[in-house]
């Protein structure tokens, strides 16, 4: 179950308003690097959202996983099925979902949330103040 969900829709709207008003250049927001574009091709999932910049295609959603419990795969793009498996077998980690247009290279963080089992660290003992 998703926890600590953060939705970046307001930030997205603000960025798009800045582009439309000319305060921000299109090149500044259409800057997806080749690694993100490859991840969109191989690990992304389609959406119903049309690219807000070029309007030529629907954006692709790419989910990235981060967390100490993930080891070497932390910082990599994963499919929905892989993320579900990770959530069942690993301690808490975060997922960041980015929308990307493979035509104009628009990209923006859409959402982040936590998944996985709650950390099972040892309970911390409280120290008593000296003299008590």
């Amino acid at each position: 179950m998703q926890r600590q969900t953060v939705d970046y829709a307001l930030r997205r709207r603000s960025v798009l308003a800045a582009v439309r008003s000319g305060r921000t250049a299109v090149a500044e927001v259409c800057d997806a690097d080749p690694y993100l574009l490859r991840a969109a091709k191989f690990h992304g999932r389609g959406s119903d959202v049309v690219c807000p910049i070029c309007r030529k295609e629907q954006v692709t959603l790419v989910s990235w996983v981060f967390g100490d419990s993930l080891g070497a795969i932390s910082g990599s793009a994963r499919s929905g099925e892989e993320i579900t498996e990770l959530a069942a077998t690993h301690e808490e980690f975060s997922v960041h979902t980015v929308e990307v247009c493979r035509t104009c290279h628009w990209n923006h963080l859409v959402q982040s949330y936590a998944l996985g089992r709650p950390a099972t660290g040892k309970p911390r003992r409280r120290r008593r103040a000296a003299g008590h």
Side-chain angles (χ1 to χ4, degrees), residues 10-29:
L10 289 176
R11 178 70 182 136
R12 181 182 187 273
R13 249 187 282 169
S14 173
V15 168
L16 291 172
V19 170
R20 289 186 184 113
S21 71
R23 292 187 316 256
T24 300
V26 170
E28 289 182 48
V29 298

Side-chain angles (χ1 to χ4, degrees), residues 1-115:
M1 175 173 45
Q2 291 182 7
R3 301 179 300 280
Q4 303 168 359
T5 301
V6 178
D7 186 330
Y8 296 92
L10 289 176
R11 178 70 182 136
R12 181 182 187 273
R13 249 187 282 169
S14 173
V15 168
L16 291 172
V19 170
R20 289 186 184 113
S21 71
R23 292 187 316 256
T24 300
V26 170
E28 289 182 48
V29 298
C30 292
D31 61 350
D33 67 26
Y35 187 63
L36 175 57
L37 295 169
R38 272 193 307 277
K41 181 177 180 180
F42 295 107
H43 300 286
R45 64 187 186 281
S47 77
D48 295 330
V49 177
V50 174
C51 175
I53 302 295
C54 72
R55 302 193 186 284
K56 292 181 180 176
E57 71 175 68
Q58 295 164 319
V59 296
T60 301
L61 300 174
V62 184
S63 294
W64 301 86
V65 294
F66 299 93
D68 293 339
S69 72
L70 300 176
I73 65 170
S74 180
S76 64
R78 297 290 158 173
S79 69
E81 296 80 26
E82 290 173 306
I83 291 171
T84 299
E85 290 175 18
L86 292 172
T89 59
H90 287 80
E91 286 188 354
E92 187 170 277
F93 61 94
S94 64
V95 180
H96 295 217
T97 303
V98 176
E99 66 179 12
V100 60
C101 175
R102 292 169 52 195
T103 298
C104 73
H105 301 184
W106 155 261
N107 63 103
H108 196 274
L109 178 62
V110 176
Q111 183 182 60
S112 64
Y113 55 91
L115 281 178

